[in-house]
Amino acid sequence: MTASIDRIVELLGSDADNLLGYQSKTIARERLSLPGPDFVERVFMNSDRSPRVLRSLQALYDGGRLGGTGYLSILPVDQGIEHAAGASFAPNPDYFDPAHIVELAIEGGCNAVASTFGVLGMVARRYAHRIPFVVKLNHNELLSYPNSYDQIMFGTVEQAYEMGAVAVGATIYFGSPESTRQIVDVARAFARAHELGMATILWCYTRNNAFKTEGNDYHTAADLTGQANHLGVTLHADIIKQKMPETNGGFKAVKHEDGSKFGRTHQKVYDELSSEHPIDLTRYQVANCYMGRAGLINSGGASGDNDLADAVRTAVINKRAGGTGLILGRKAFQRPRNEGIALLNAVQDVYLCDDVTIA
């Protein structure tokens, strides 16, 4: 199925030429493991993933409108915990009901639905055979005071397995004081998931107040998020979820209290392996996912005034950078269902459009 380029150009507006015509001169596309119908076999065949894990990965890549393309469109709805249920679902109260969440993913043509133990467990017998389930294992709950911004386990891998999930997901706040414990928690959980034949997806977020400096927020810097991705694939994440990079130079800007340098980097990261262009910044994220061997899915971000155009823009950047797809939630479920479906389909159309090529 080939989608029309005209609608994509229309939604990109003045950014169309810059995003669709750009040719990257950083990391050549030939050096990447790019998405395609044979991605699981081509990339994971020689890994230590068992046949059951390969089957689960293939189930993810075969789902929805993007099935068989090597690209992913996932609906994530863990915001009831991560951002509070009222803040997340008040704009559309139907989504307090877990059935409506899964139905949106199915009707929206998603490869999978990612949500909490509670949401997916409540409707597992009705829907687990109709769309791949991704159970989010840990969360940052916002009712404790003061908020600690920690990711804690809400259940076991075995629970996810028993409800028929094909994959588990987890978040690590790399850079936070709690990250060392989170790394251990997630490493153990992912090892157990692979033993049981499930795939693994890691939300690789950076979090530390020191990453905000001199009026700039480096939580979405390509170099810091790239290193978070590299830590994620080291933990045996099969797929990496990351925020779209908006800047670069975090390692150079962040300093210790005594003024000494934070972390380690190399000037070639900025001079040769990336540029200020959003496609190049995202390609550096892909490079840190073992040159694309672990698929990079970027998040859709918070709802705003131009959700449709913003989501399509993010999809174009991700695809042209060599990424694997989008994991988009609030932009879809915080609106009437027909509008949410249309938004999800518009994003998927980017990956179905042959005219949107790898830069």
Side-chain angles (χ1 to χ4, degrees):
M1 180 178 178
T2 301
S4 170
I5 190 66
D6 295 335
R7 178 60 172 158
I8 297 171
V9 170
E10 178 186 351
L11 289 168
L12 291 177
S14 60
D15 276 346
D17 288 341
N18 182 44
L19 294 180
L20 293 173
Y22 182 74
Q23 293 302 314
S24 176
K25 295 181 176 60
T26 57
I27 299 170
R29 53 172 291 170
E30 290 78 14
R31 301 172 74 175
L32 303 174
S33 292
L34 295 171
D38 63 340
F39 184 77
V40 172
E41 180 176 345
R42 171 166 42 92
V43 172
F44 285 98
M45 179 70 75
N46 294 320
S47 74
D48 63 354
R49 274 56 163 184
S50 70
R52 288 178 298 166
V53 173
L54 298 184
R55 182 176 61 188
S56 293
L57 278 169
Q58 194 65 57
L60 285 174
Y61 282 102
D62 281 346
R65 295 180 71 226
L66 298 184
T69 66
Y71 289 104
L72 295 171
S73 168
I74 298 176
L75 177 73
V77 188
D78 60 352
Q79 285 88 347
I81 299 175
E82 295 283 344
H83 301 282
S88 300
F89 302 135
N92 193 344
D94 282 346
Y95 292 106
F96 278 107
D97 185 340
H100 288 166
I101 291 172
V102 181
E103 288 164 4
L104 175 61
I106 294 173
E107 295 176 24
C110 294
N111 298 69
V113 57
S115 196
T116 66
F117 281 101
V119 165
L120 297 178
M122 185 60 70
V123 295
R125 290 183 183 274
R126 184 175 180 183
Y127 293 114
H129 63 290
R130 295 184 57 189
I131 186 170
F133 278 10
V134 180
V135 177
K136 186 72 165 28
L137 299 174
N138 63 0
H139 302 284
N140 171 40
E141 59 85 17
L142 288 177
L143 195 57
S144 60
Y145 184 84
N147 295 150
S148 62
Y149 300 103
D150 191 7
Q151 288 284 331
I152 56 176
M153 291 290 177
F154 268 58
T156 67
V157 175
E158 287 76 12
Q159 284 177 273
Y161 175 78
E162 290 298 331
M163 76 170 68
V166 303
V168 296
T171 297
I172 293 178
Y173 288 148
F174 290 108
S176 71
E178 300 84 8
S179 63
T180 302
R181 193 211 73 250
Q182 293 167 12
I183 288 170
V184 174
D185 288 347
V186 171
R188 289 172 175 167
F190 278 11
R192 181 57 177 151
H194 278 161
E195 286 177 359
L196 293 173
M198 291 185 287
T200 57
I201 304 176
L202 189 61
W203 280 237
C204 291
Y205 292 162
T206 64
R207 174 157 287 178
N208 193 299
N209 289 336
F211 294 169
K212 291 183 178 180
T213 177
E214 299 177 359
N216 293 317
D217 188 347
Y218 291 98
H219 283 95
T220 54
D223 54 352
L224 294 183
T225 55
Q227 180 60 21
N229 290 357
H230 196 73
L231 293 171
V233 290
T234 304
L235 290 169
H236 264 52
D238 302 316
I239 298 166
I240 296 293
K241 178 192 176 186
Q242 184 55 266
K243 296 179 181 180
M244 183 64 64
E246 298 177 359
T247 186
N248 207 356
F251 275 118
K252 297 197 293 184
V254 177
K255 307 288 185 182
H256 290 293
E257 291 184 359
D258 62 2
S260 59
K261 292 182 179 180
F262 162 74
R264 292 175 180 268
T265 187
H266 194 287
Q267 190 57 37
K268 281 189 175 182
V269 169
Y270 313 102
D271 294 343
E272 298 180 17
L273 302 184
S274 64
S275 76
E276 294 182 357
H277 198 282
I279 290 174
D280 287 336
L281 295 176
T282 307
R283 178 156 295 181
Y284 186 71
Q285 289 184 339
V286 173
N288 276 277
C289 296
Y290 292 157
M291 284 293 196
R293 288 179 180 268
L296 171 70
I297 52 177
N298 287 117
S299 55
S303 297
D305 296 330
N306 301 295
D307 283 347
L308 182 58
D310 290 345
V312 167
R313 179 181 185 275
T314 302
V316 168
I317 293 170
N318 172 272
K319 182 180 181 182
R320 300 214 68 219
T324 299
L326 246 57
I327 181 164
L328 184 149
R330 280 171 287 176
K331 290 183 187 300
F333 70 73
Q334 288 185 335
R335 61 184 65 248
R337 184 181 293 191
N338 62 331
E339 294 182 16
I341 291 171
L343 191 147
L344 291 168
N345 289 169
V347 165
Q348 294 153 8
D349 285 345
V350 171
Y351 296 96
L352 294 171
C353 182
D354 292 339
D355 292 314
V356 180
T357 59
I358 312 299

